[in-house]
Amino acid sequence: MDFQFTEEQLLIKEMARDFVEQHIRPIAAEIDETHRFPSESVLPMGEHGLFSFTLPEEYGGTGADSISYVLATTEVAKASAAHAMIMGSQCSLTAPILVKYAKDKSIPERLVPDMIAGKKLGCFCLTEPGAGCDASAQATTAVRKGDSYVINGSKIFITNAPQSDVFIVFAMTDKSRGVKGISAFLVEKGTPGLGTGAPEQKMGMNASHTCEVFLNDCVVPAGNLLGEEGMGFKIAMQTLDSGRIGVASIALGLAEASLDSSIRYTKERIQFGKPISANQGIQWMLADMATRLEAARMLTLRAAAKKDSGEPFTLESSMAKLYATEAAMYITEKAVQLHGGMGYTKTYAVERFMREAKVTEIFEGTNEIQRIVIARQILG
Ligand code: CAA
């Protein structure tokens, strides 16, 4: 497969790169150190179309495709994976669910334009203390009462929950039906009984807040049911197919930035009278990093192209997520090594990239889960 980008895709990549230099790179290290959510970036990101990918034009989307989404997310993650996470949460995990599954079309009409504009953020509430890899083990319940559902339960590790207005919540409506008893709901900020916990203290991705979400007798209109009762698990899995392309793109950004920094540093750093890049041992490390990066890029673009073609892409997105995130871990760790003592300090961003890369192997389905998905797909 040969990726000849269209003029539009290249323009979007260039726009994302300019945006990063102007708005994101100047604050990237500070927001990581202070664990500060970059609120000031959100509206400008919306204005620059960074939340519009694959969303319909009738709601303010630009019609930009998944390939463009990969290119833009990668550019953003080269400076700040936390910013790229905001994009993923909007473009992959939340707004598309409202567009595709809200039966009451006034819901996406009211919320999606604001999500695209960066005026409202969304979060995807699937994971629970007892439902991590086994997402079907939902303990959160939703009970129909007249024209409403009453939702009770708690979620953990929910990205951007404190800043969100739109909560996509998965809950059990019929436990006797197991995985087919899970349903998806829209719960909006301000709903009595909806609350968020304090941000987790994490190894990295510090500016992207990850929190518990509490639902205590949250009453939502029956029209907030997304899809039909019992469709929730499929909605979650289909959504994660897209989300995993976003995670692969974040990994690509971290890997690319780490390789670029390593190339620059090893050419500048003089030891034993010559740049360390003149040593074959260093060259072999750089060659392995560059090769893995390129393979990860191809898998990620292939998954995005499959998604854009309208064909099923579960296999391709899991392969992209698995390979790109492990490549990112390898490349960022080697980058720290190549920067020597400086690599272990905050003088260079590579130590942050290594900390951020680790979570890409874990969230939106651990890489062990990706291997299960891939094996099931190839075994049939
Ligand atoms: N698309 C559509 N349907 C799918 C699907 C997909 N990708 N994957 C599974 N399904 C369907 C199956 O076809 C099946 O339906 P039928 O019985 O009608 O055929 C149904 O869903 C159940 O599928 P499985 O039997 O395969 O389900 P399982 O219980 O064995 O689980 C799993 C499969 C892949 C392990 C899944 O549980 C999984 O992906 N786990 C990881 C969850 C995950 O990624 N969590 C992270 C969430 S991120 C988050 O919450 C925090 C945040 O802020 C980002």
Side-chain angles (χ1 to χ4, degrees):
M1 188 178 275
D2 185 19
F3 287 105
Q4 295 292 332
F5 298 123
T6 63
E7 204 173 311
E8 188 195 352
Q9 289 163 345
L10 290 172
L11 276 173
I12 288 171
K13 181 178 158 83
E14 209 173 297
M15 175 279 299
R17 188 183 299 158
D18 291 346
F19 181 83
V20 164
E21 292 313 317
Q22 204 187 332
H23 293 272
I24 300 182
R25 197 177 300 286
I27 60 169
E30 175 264 312
I31 59 172
D32 175 65
E33 274 168 44
T34 57
H35 296 210
R36 184 175 70 77
F37 181 82
S39 311
E40 72 272 37
S41 303
V42 177
L43 270 178
M45 286 173 86
E47 282 160 12
H48 285 77
L50 291 172
F51 300 140
S52 71
F53 297 100
T54 73
L55 292 167
E57 289 175 28
E58 62 182 296
Y59 297 127
T62 52
D65 60 9
S66 303
I67 298 265
S68 307
Y69 172 63
V70 170
L71 297 176
T73 304
T74 303
E75 286 306 315
V76 171
K78 278 161 76 173
S80 167
H83 280 81
M85 267 310 289
I86 306 173
M87 289 173 67
S89 205
Q90 295 286 90
C91 303
S92 300
L93 297 183
T94 55
I97 296 185
L98 297 180
V99 169
K100 210 165 160 191
Y101 295 106
K103 279 178 288 177
D104 173 357
K105 290 301 163 203
S106 72
I107 290 178
E109 278 165 18
R110 181 168 57 82
L111 296 176
V112 174
D114 278 356
M115 294 177 81
I116 291 173
K119 293 178 185 162
K120 282 189 188 330
L121 292 181
C123 62
F124 180 79
C125 307
L126 176 68
T127 304
E128 297 183 359
C133 287
D134 182 5
S136 67
Q138 295 286 310
T140 298
T141 56
V143 177
R144 179 86 192 234
K145 288 214 171 125
D147 283 345
S148 308
Y149 284 90
V150 182
I151 307 179
N152 276 289
S154 66
K155 302 286 175 178
I156 53 166
F157 300 144
I158 307 304
T159 305
N160 297 341
Q163 292 82 22
S164 288
D165 301 275
V166 172
F167 293 67
I168 305 293
V169 174
F170 296 87
M172 199 58 100
T173 40
D174 185 352
K175 197 171 168 45
S176 68
R177 299 191 69 215
V179 81
K180 290 190 168 55
I182 298 169
S183 304
F185 296 90
L186 161 67
V187 182
E188 291 188 64
K189 184 179 172 178
T191 303
L194 176 70
T196 57
E200 299 289 344
Q201 295 300 306
K202 298 177 294 186
M203 177 190 284
M205 218 55 112
N206 295 322
S208 168
H209 292 171
T210 308
C211 304
E212 280 183 88
V213 171
F214 307 105
L215 300 121
N216 295 318
D217 286 329
C218 281
V219 179
V220 298
N224 282 23
L225 172 70
L226 301 165
E228 301 298 333
E229 266 198 24
M231 269 181 71
F233 193 75
K234 279 197 186 215
I235 294 175
M237 292 301 113
Q238 280 171 359
T239 303
L240 285 167
D241 285 346
S242 294
R244 289 164 185 165
I245 297 176
V247 175
S249 310
I250 295 175
L252 279 184
L254 293 169
E256 192 173 325
S258 298
L259 177 61
D260 289 348
S261 184
S262 300
I263 292 171
R264 271 195 309 274
Y265 185 80
T266 57
K267 282 163 90 170
E268 282 163 11
R269 174 73 176 154
I270 308 290
Q271 287 291 274
F272 304 104
K274 60 183 183 190
I276 61 172
S277 62
N279 298 305
Q280 199 176 55
I282 302 290
Q283 291 172 2
W284 284 15
M285 282 165 79
L286 292 168
D288 285 343
M289 292 158 76
T291 305
R292 289 186 198 211
L293 172 62
E294 216 41 49
R297 199 193 314 279
M298 290 298 117
L299 278 174
T300 307
L301 289 170
R302 180 167 159 263
K306 198 86 188 284
K307 181 181 171 189
D308 285 336
S309 76
E311 292 174 65
F313 58 99
T314 302
L315 174 67
E316 290 75 11
S317 74
S318 278
M319 283 181 168
K321 197 272 188 190
L322 170 63
Y323 190 85
T325 61
E326 293 188 355
M329 200 59 236
Y330 175 89
I331 292 165
T332 55
E333 191 270 333
K334 287 282 175 283
V336 169
Q337 187 68 20
L338 286 170
H339 287 69
M342 295 304 273
Y344 201 65
T345 71
K346 292 192 186 288
T347 312
Y348 290 89
V350 289
E351 67 80 31
R352 171 164 60 87
F353 295 154
M354 184 176 137
R355 289 186 283 108
E356 290 175 335
K358 185 61 212 169
V359 78
T360 65
E361 294 187 310
I362 297 171
F363 66 16
E364 296 195 35
T366 63
N367 282 4
E368 290 69 33
I369 289 294
Q370 305 314 318
R371 288 182 166 88
I372 290 172
V373 173
I374 293 164
R376 285 182 182 176
Q377 289 279 323
I378 60 176
L379 289 169

